[in-house]
Amino acid sequence: MSTTPPPSDSPRPAAVVQADIHKLLQETGGWLWGPTRERYEQLRDEWLAAERARMTTAA
């Protein structure tokens, strides 16, 4: 799993972030507590930003 956030001017593709989310959930058995929960929320926000960017460029 990537631990370095991407530069704000070049977000990672949503599919890559989604793979990180799936990996995190698999590693934790779906239990998200403390730092694991924080990491999930960071990834979720990154995924949302990537999806918004994709939708903006598609329009």
Side-chain angles (χ1 to χ4, degrees):
M1 169 177 22
S2 174
T3 58
T4 306
S8 60
D9 59 338
S10 60
R12 295 187 302 161
V16 173
V17 179
Q18 185 176 22
D20 281 352
I21 292 170
H22 284 283
K23 183 177 178 183
L24 178 66
L25 291 171
Q26 190 172 34
E27 289 172 352
T28 63
W31 292 95
L32 302 173
W33 300 98
T36 305
R37 179 68 181 191
E38 291 173 21
R39 180 65 182 142
Y40 167 77
E41 290 174 356
Q42 291 170 347
L43 289 168
R44 179 202 59 205
D45 293 345
E46 184 182 352
W47 180 82
L48 288 169
E51 281 295 299
R52 285 186 192 114
R54 185 181 64 81
M55 297 295 272
T56 301
T57 56

